Amino acid sequence: MCGICGYIGPKKVTEEQLWKMNNTMTHRGPNDGGIWQHSSQNMEIGLAQRRLSILDLSALGHQPMMSQDGRYIVVYNGEIYNFQEIRSLLEQKGYTFRSNCDTEVILYAYAEWGREMFARFNGMFAIALYDKEQERLTLARDRIGKKPLYYYAYQGHFVFASELKPIMQYPYFTKRVNKNVLNHFLCNKYLAAPLCIFEHTYKMLPGMALEYCNGEIEKYKYWNVMKQYHKGTADREQDFQTCKSNLKSVLQESVAARLIADVPVGTFLSGGIDSTLVTAIAQEHKEAPINTYSIGFYDKARNEAPFSAAIAKYLGTNHHEHYVEEKDIFALIDDLPYYYDEPFSDSSQLPTMLVSKYAAQDITVSLSGDGGDELFCGYTTYDLTWIAQHVDFMGEIASHIPGMDWIGGKMPSELRAFLNNRERETKTQLYIDVTSEEVDKILGRTAHNIKYPQEKYLTMADWQERRMLLDLQTYLPDDILAKTDRASMKYSLEVRCPLLDYRVVEESFRIPHPYKYRRFDKKYILKEVTYDYVPKELLDRPKKGFGVPLQKWLRTVLKKEIARYADTAILQKQDIFVPHAVQELIVKQQQSDKIIYSSVLWSFYVFQKWYQMYIEDLW
């Protein structure tokens, strides 16, 4: 696990400037750092990396790493879990290796197969590789989007990085807020790739590679979610027990691959289905008790620690339980702009930071259960999607009633969103309309393009399946995985996600949907696999999740700070928000428990803190 950055362009960047870019990511790679620069006839290029040593802890794993013939140079963030298998293939072809790390395998895999190599890798990665002979820079991001990768392309300059901080330190970066994406952030709490908060700056899409050569950019997909989905559904297994057996087998292989490391490994154990299954399989592969970590809350309504402890006891893990108070969570708020460096307001990032902090005291790698909800139908949103599909005919009838437009204007926003949900291409996104109404008010403009366009390619009849596939391409990589990456890397902790092994993803597509969702019984088949390891009675309960008391904070300890960020004179100078609409939102949040108000107000607050740190301190 590391942080990478680099540039290619017409102007020289000093060694000091490149180190400055690189060292903004020291938290991602505290063990080592390196840079490489080169001047060609046409351009200047530099690559840099901060290293968190996981495999081959020796200096032989130092990056940037150059091939023995000097042609290829690579910087890389992540893990290639099948690198030993690929290395064996390359050795059979005559390649020799100096190290025992996966970075060197990337160099010679590219020398042998070129850009076709990405489809051979099983892992999480962001890769940048320069070919001196062709003067070509190649970037690639893993299939699911576990590892982040940004790039900036403007006026002949091309810059890339694991985070935005190095790009902001590039001496020729033009830093302008992309106001066109603010509605997306305020509605969703994150920005989905390729959107980015800065103009001319983008996130690489998962499963994508990019080549930069002679000032031209070529992008291509080496792995496509929809192609794999259609391939899987064309070959669906109809026998439930066979589906369960196949799924269990690929999960065992996936977990085993992610236990390989030259540093201590553990797991996050929240007590839910996903983390329990991952932990159970991991413990099955270990002779000694594996380290497990959970946090507890003194508020019983949010506390799952006793359930985690009971599961850990049953599995025989070496369990670590840390109880936290509200003040422990609250104390991390000021860190959000620096470590997320793009507006991001999923408040579960705060407790995720805490569990990462405590785990990093003992281990360097942790396994998590991320991905189970999107692949096996686990979110409450999917219940609502099922209901919406089955009552949609009522909205269709109502839409033809004369005068309904006028009547609709008097209705609650939730009902209005249901009645207006007539576009086939965005059927599963009706919920965002409610948030969008509030966001439009504080931005002073209508967000016509707030819904994700990917849904128009999701033609399956079942709305749940459509929503799951949409989340797999948006919410999962750009909220869930981004949250975990930044929260864990703040403490130099690598998090691996066995449920997001591409083989597990592809296997999930071969499982009929009724085996995942049975009349509001979510993740049915995944639960059945988990019950092979842990008694049902230890797991059969509603999930609480990492709750943060936003409504309470916004009304009490954050009230004065919110008022300061919403000062009318400052908002007029900032020229982003409508002052009176923000004031109205604050009043509504103070007087109502409606979650939509606290959600939008919290996102406004997070944005203002980010703006203060990176753009202009108006306060």
Side-chain angles (χ1 to χ4, degrees):
M1 192 67 64
C2 309
I4 64 173
C5 66
Y7 66 89
I8 187 167
K11 295 185 179 180
K12 188 171 181 61
V13 172
T14 68
E15 183 176 310
E16 180 183 2
Q17 288 170 328
L18 184 53
W19 270 113
K20 188 175 181 180
M21 292 169 61
N22 197 32
N23 288 341
T24 62
M25 302 182 294
T26 300
H27 54 284
R28 297 189 73 92
N31 302 132
D32 188 22
I35 67 171
W36 175 84
Q37 292 178 286
H38 175 69
S39 297
S40 75
Q41 199 170 27
N42 302 313
M43 66 193 71
E44 302 287 336
I45 182 167
L47 305 178
Q49 190 244 21
R50 292 295 324 186
R51 184 185 182 196
L52 176 63
S53 302
I54 302 293
L55 292 169
D56 191 343
L57 309 186
S58 74
L60 293 175
H62 176 80
Q63 296 183 38
M65 185 179 289
M66 184 179 292
S67 60
Q68 293 179 33
D69 63 4
R71 176 175 173 176
Y72 305 109
I73 304 92
V74 68
V75 288
Y76 148 65
N77 168 29
E79 303 289 345
I80 307 297
Y81 301 117
N82 63 337
F83 81 96
Q84 292 172 329
E85 172 190 330
I86 295 173
R87 174 174 171 151
S88 294
L89 289 174
L90 292 169
E91 286 176 330
Q92 293 171 20
K93 293 178 178 292
Y95 292 92
T96 60
F97 293 82
R98 294 175 290 194
S99 72
N100 293 313
C101 68
D102 50 358
T103 308
E104 193 174 10
V105 171
I106 294 172
L107 280 172
Y108 299 115
Y110 188 81
E112 180 64 25
W113 298 300
R115 67 189 199 179
E116 301 301 319
M117 73 172 179
F118 301 121
R120 294 175 177 265
F121 292 161
N122 179 7
M124 54 179 186
F125 53 82
I127 296 171
L129 190 147
Y130 183 65
D131 180 345
K132 287 175 67 176
E133 185 175 301
Q134 298 291 329
E135 295 189 350
R136 178 186 294 115
L137 176 68
T138 300
L139 304 182
R141 191 179 182 198
D142 64 74
R143 293 171 177 83
I144 309 301
K146 185 70 179 68
K147 292 293 96 189
L149 189 56
Y150 293 86
Y151 68 94
Y152 168 75
Y154 187 57
Q155 294 184 337
H157 295 275
F158 186 89
V159 191
F160 69 89
S162 297
E163 298 181 1
L164 283 176
K165 284 186 284 292
I167 294 176
M168 284 188 268
Q169 290 297 326
Y170 179 67
Y172 310 109
F173 174 61
T174 303
K175 185 165 64 174
R176 285 197 291 262
V177 174
N178 184 359
K179 294 183 180 181
N180 293 327
V181 303
L182 289 182
N183 53 358
H184 290 270
F185 163 66
L186 293 167
C187 285
N188 296 310
K189 306 179 185 179
Y190 64 96
L191 290 171
L195 301 182
C196 181
I197 193 61
F198 291 124
E199 292 182 0
H200 313 296
T201 312
Y202 311 91
K203 297 186 185 79
M204 285 274 288
L205 289 165
M208 175 173 280
L210 176 156
E211 292 183 351
Y212 184 93
C213 188
N214 295 322
E216 299 294 326
I217 295 175
E218 179 191 356
K219 293 181 283 189
Y220 57 93
K221 278 275 197 175
Y222 67 88
W223 190 85
N224 185 287
V225 170
M226 292 313 303
K227 285 184 179 179
Q228 295 303 322
Y229 170 81
H230 290 303
K231 181 179 177 181
T233 55
D235 187 34
R236 275 187 165 166
E237 173 59 58
Q238 298 303 317
D239 179 70
F240 180 82
Q241 290 302 324
T242 302
C243 286
K244 178 184 171 184
S245 177
N246 291 343
L247 176 60
K248 186 175 181 179
S249 177
V250 73
L251 284 170
Q252 289 172 332
E253 292 177 8
S254 174
V255 172
R258 283 157 180 79
L259 290 172
I260 298 172
D262 295 329
V263 292
V265 179
T267 75
F268 292 154
L269 181 59
S270 69
I273 294 293
D274 306 333
S275 65
T276 296
L277 178 56
V278 168
T279 299
I281 297 175
Q283 186 58 75
E284 184 179 51
H285 283 84
K286 290 285 189 178
E287 294 182 3
I290 194 168
N291 286 313
T292 53
Y293 298 86
S294 67
I295 58 174
F297 300 96
Y298 293 104
D299 179 357
K300 291 184 179 179
R302 295 186 290 134
N303 187 33
E304 290 190 312
F307 306 118
S308 303
I311 291 168
K313 182 178 180 180
Y314 181 85
L315 293 175
T317 72
N318 181 26
H319 193 54
H320 304 260
E321 182 180 272
H322 298 272
Y323 271 76
V324 298
E325 300 179 24
E326 274 189 24
K327 64 179 183 181
D328 301 317
I329 305 174
F330 189 80
L332 293 172
I333 289 178
D334 287 340
D335 288 343
L336 295 182
Y338 184 79
Y339 289 100
Y340 281 81
D341 75 9
E342 184 174 44
F344 186 93
S345 57
D346 180 342
S347 60
S348 64
Q349 64 200 132
L350 295 166
T352 305
M353 283 182 179
L354 283 177
V355 72
S356 298
K357 175 182 178 180
Y358 295 127
Q361 294 174 2
D362 308 313
I363 61 176
T364 309
V365 173
S366 181
L367 274 58
S368 85
D370 288 337
D373 291 312
E374 292 83 0
L375 294 177
F376 297 97
C377 203
Y379 291 128
T380 302
T381 298
Y382 302 144
D383 289 327
L384 299 177
T385 302
W386 186 92
I387 294 170
Q389 181 170 12
H390 285 78
V391 299
D392 186 58
F393 72 94
M394 297 172 62
E396 182 64 27
I397 293 172
S399 69
H400 291 91
I401 297 176
M404 184 52 68
D405 288 344
W406 181 85
I407 297 172
K410 309 296 182 182
M411 291 179 177
S413 54
E414 292 84 356
L415 181 56
R416 191 161 55 249
F418 166 69
L419 293 177
N420 292 336
N421 190 36
R422 299 301 101 217
E423 294 293 330
R424 191 218 67 80
E425 294 183 346
T426 56
K427 281 290 188 182
T428 74
Q429 301 180 66
L430 74 156
Y431 320 110
I432 202 65
D433 288 346
V434 182
T435 312
S436 185
E437 283 193 12
E438 295 302 320
V439 169
D440 289 351
K441 293 172 186 175
I442 67 172
L443 288 178
R445 56 185 181 273
T446 302
H448 292 294
N449 62 341
I450 195 63
K451 295 183 180 180
Y452 294 122
Q454 291 94 324
E455 189 174 351
K456 68 182 177 183
Y457 302 109
L458 309 179
T459 57
M460 60 288 301
D462 191 306
W463 287 18
Q464 274 187 338
E465 286 195 85
R466 283 162 60 178
R467 182 67 201 213
M468 289 164 63
L469 284 163
L470 184 64
D471 286 343
L472 193 62
Q473 298 174 71
T474 56
Y475 179 67
L476 176 66
D478 295 305
D479 186 314
I480 299 300
L481 297 181
K483 172 190 70 178
T484 302
D485 174 81
R486 300 304 180 87
S488 60
M489 293 312 297
K490 179 182 189 299
Y491 302 102
S492 305
L493 177 73
E494 173 174 304
V495 175
R496 300 175 175 178
C497 306
L499 296 178
L500 292 175
D501 186 305
Y502 80 93
R503 297 169 302 173
V504 176
V505 175
E506 292 176 2
E507 187 63 37
S508 77
F509 295 153
R510 287 188 277 270
I511 298 173
H513 190 67
Y515 295 167
K516 302 175 185 179
Y517 187 86
R518 291 190 173 186
R519 298 180 182 179
F520 298 95
D521 188 359
K522 298 184 286 294
K523 294 198 284 196
Y524 181 80
I525 192 169
L526 201 66
K527 289 178 181 177
E528 290 298 307
V529 174
T530 308
Y531 298 152
D532 286 350
Y533 294 94
V534 177
K536 183 177 181 180
E537 54 268 25
L538 290 179
L539 291 161
D540 196 9
R541 66 182 188 282
K543 185 168 177 59
K544 299 177 182 178
F546 280 163
V548 172
L550 286 185
Q551 290 177 318
K552 173 185 173 183
W553 286 356
L554 293 169
R555 292 171 181 170
T556 56
V557 290
L558 286 176
K559 186 175 181 179
K560 287 185 178 180
E561 194 168 7
I562 291 288
R564 183 165 63 91
Y565 282 124
D567 179 83
T568 296
I570 291 178
L571 290 186
Q572 288 174 340
K573 183 178 180 181
Q574 189 182 18
D575 193 29
I576 292 177
F577 301 101
V578 179
H580 73 84
V582 174
Q583 298 297 337
E584 290 172 3
L585 175 62
I586 292 172
V587 171
K588 285 188 285 190
Q589 196 279 327
Q590 293 289 319
Q591 297 177 348
S592 172
D593 287 332
K594 201 171 179 181
I595 294 175
I596 189 65
Y597 300 141
S598 57
S599 174
V600 176
L601 188 57
W602 171 254
S603 293
F604 164 81
Y605 170 67
V606 168
F607 176 82
Q608 295 295 68
K609 288 186 74 68
W610 174 87
Y611 190 95
Q612 182 179 22
M613 177 174 285
Y614 291 110
I615 306 301
E616 185 178 7
D617 187 354
L618 299 172
W619 298 273

